[in-house]
Amino acid sequence: MSAALGLKARPIATGSTEPTDDDSDISALINRLTAEVNQIAVDKTKSIQQITNQMKMLALNALIESSRAGAQGAGFAVVAQEVRGVGQQVETIARELETQLTKRTGDLVASIERMSQRSRGERMVDLSLNAVELIDRNLYERTCDVRWWATDSAVVDCAASPSAAAVSHASQRLGVILGAYTVYLDLWLCDLEGNVIANGRADRFRVVGQNVAGTKWFREARSLRSGDDYVAGDVENQPLLGNAQVATYCASVRADGQANGAPIGVLAIHFDWEAQARAIVQGVRIGDSDKARVLLVDSNLRVIASSDGQGILSERISLSLNGQRSGFYHDRSGALVAFHATPGYETYRGLGWYGVIVCGP
């Protein structure tokens, strides 16, 4: 096991779904062509109306002249009336054509706009899922790490008998782990009363001797049934780590490193949340025109990561879920809001978090 600890940690994955512009380009093209057809129809019907107005004027003039000619102009008056009637019919047809064309093209534009909005919304939902899936996969690895490291012989020996030599050796081993796994701020070994008895970065964080029995993650870890179980804590500011944003994962240290052994301590590993989460939400590739804000929110809809760096751990968003795990809608301001619940990964069930993308109206 100790040799394996020398392996370098894999960097956090930030792969993201590339937005495709094909659909939006086609929609824009159809919109433009439809608008052009509509304009052509309007222009041409106006031209027809101008011509029919000229025909009616000529017919009127012909009627006037025929009346002056008396009986000799009677036949010409009939022709003038017919021309006038034809002009009125053409004008009526032109108006009906304009009305029908503008209505049909208007319906087509509205339909295309709805399709475009739906396509955009579904793409944002996919990107929301992508963001929360990436964090789930990385946090799954954290649950594996803590359960594995809780069985390290130096950690087990120190929890069983925290002599000065055992504490020194355990701290050294935890430091070796931190040298390879750079996504952590610190690793703490605690006794069953919540006292920190060893940590990996003792030169940076003087936490040995501090008591963490009042924290939620320690109380839950103290109650774990076996070494196969773990605790995934909420994202929080940790005062003992310079108030850094961390996600704390815990496993019980058990006698002889056996999963069914008696509990003798708790190992807590503090994931460097802010830097790693920022890499994910800022890595979601959304076009500049979307004016989007990418968020991760917890089960209480508290912002725990944001692409603009605002509101982390202090802002709660209003998310209209309507009993759905994923979807999109437009809020009162006209902004597009897309969301997707955590699907979990492998044995990590997730904590009820959501990936959320808010696009400006």
Side-chain angles (χ1 to χ4, degrees):
M1 180 180 296
S2 60
L5 290 178
L7 292 173
K8 290 292 181 182
R10 293 193 300 274
I12 214 163
T14 57
S16 57
T17 303
E18 288 275 5
T20 59
D21 294 329
D22 292 348
D23 291 342
S24 59
D25 286 347
I26 292 172
S27 296
L29 176 61
I30 294 174
N31 266 316
R32 181 172 60 80
L33 293 176
T34 303
E36 289 177 359
V37 169
N38 186 63
Q39 189 60 47
I40 290 170
V42 170
D43 291 344
K44 295 303 182 184
T45 52
K46 285 181 178 179
S47 296
I48 293 172
Q49 288 172 355
Q50 290 175 354
I51 294 171
T52 55
N53 286 335
Q54 292 175 353
M55 289 176 64
K56 288 192 292 184
M57 185 61 68
L58 289 171
L60 179 60
N61 290 333
L63 284 172
I64 293 172
E65 292 301 324
S66 66
S67 65
R68 289 176 180 175
Q72 294 179 353
F76 189 68
V78 174
V79 175
Q81 287 284 12
E82 288 296 325
V83 171
R84 187 178 187 182
V86 170
Q88 289 176 338
Q89 290 178 8
V90 172
E91 182 180 22
T92 300
I93 293 171
R95 286 176 179 173
E96 291 177 351
L97 176 63
E98 180 182 7
T99 300
Q100 292 179 10
L101 278 176
T102 53
K103 182 181 183 303
R104 295 294 177 86
T105 54
D107 291 345
L108 179 58
V109 168
S111 178
I112 292 169
E113 179 63 21
R114 289 193 296 270
M115 291 171 60
S116 178
Q117 288 292 337
R118 182 171 184 81
S119 176
R120 183 185 183 214
E122 289 174 347
R123 183 170 72 87
M124 293 304 167
V125 170
D126 288 342
L127 290 173
S128 299
L129 171 60
N130 182 245
V132 76
E133 268 191 325
L134 283 173
I135 200 65
D136 275 352
R137 292 182 184 185
N138 283 284
L139 297 184
Y140 162 71
E141 293 184 7
R142 311 295 66 93
T143 68
C144 297
D145 291 345
V146 70
R147 287 177 287 178
W148 170 28
W149 298 336
T151 65
D152 184 89
S153 59
V155 171
V156 173
D157 292 345
C158 183
S161 180
S163 64
V167 168
S168 177
H169 184 45
S171 296
Q172 180 184 19
R173 295 292 301 132
L174 295 177
V176 170
I177 294 173
L178 286 171
Y181 289 78
T182 56
V183 296
Y184 296 103
L185 280 178
D186 204 6
L187 312 179
W188 298 352
L189 175 59
C190 309
D191 64 20
L192 293 179
E193 283 70 50
N195 299 303
V196 181
I197 58 179
N199 72 310
R201 290 197 170 116
D203 57 335
R204 181 177 171 187
F205 303 113
R206 300 184 181 278
V207 296
V208 172
Q210 297 288 337
N211 187 277
V212 295
T215 62
K216 180 183 176 183
W217 50 261
F218 179 83
R219 292 195 303 270
E220 292 179 354
R222 183 71 176 77
S223 302
L224 290 174
R225 295 184 178 182
S226 79
D228 295 326
D229 299 326
Y230 63 88
V231 169
D234 293 325
V235 178
E236 62 180 2
N237 292 112
Q238 175 50 253
L240 297 178
L241 296 175
N243 217 36
Q245 296 172 14
V246 297
T248 300
Y249 288 76
C250 304
S252 55
V253 181
R254 296 182 174 261
D256 300 322
Q258 298 298 313
N260 58 355
I264 55 177
V266 168
L267 180 65
I269 64 176
H270 301 289
F271 182 63
D272 187 4
W273 172 259
E274 183 177 11
Q276 310 304 326
R278 182 174 63 247
I280 286 179
V281 293
Q282 291 184 348
V284 176
R285 298 182 183 178
I286 297 177
D288 293 338
S289 62
D290 287 312
K291 300 178 182 178
R293 186 182 185 209
V294 183
L295 306 170
L296 293 174
V297 302
D298 64 16
S299 59
N300 294 315
L301 304 185
R302 180 186 60 153
V303 174
I304 54 178
S306 64
S307 57
D308 60 2
Q310 302 299 308
I312 302 175
L313 303 188
S314 61
E315 177 187 357
R316 277 184 168 80
I317 67 170
S318 177
L319 197 60
S320 299
L321 300 174
N322 295 323
Q324 298 179 323
R325 291 183 55 80
S326 65
F328 66 90
Y329 60 92
H330 288 86
D331 65 15
R332 292 181 179 178
S333 71
L336 172 66
V337 181
F339 63 91
H340 204 297
T342 169
Y345 185 73
E346 297 288 349
T347 58
Y348 179 70
R349 296 181 299 276
L351 300 175
W353 293 358
Y354 290 86
V356 180
I357 297 178
V358 181
C359 299

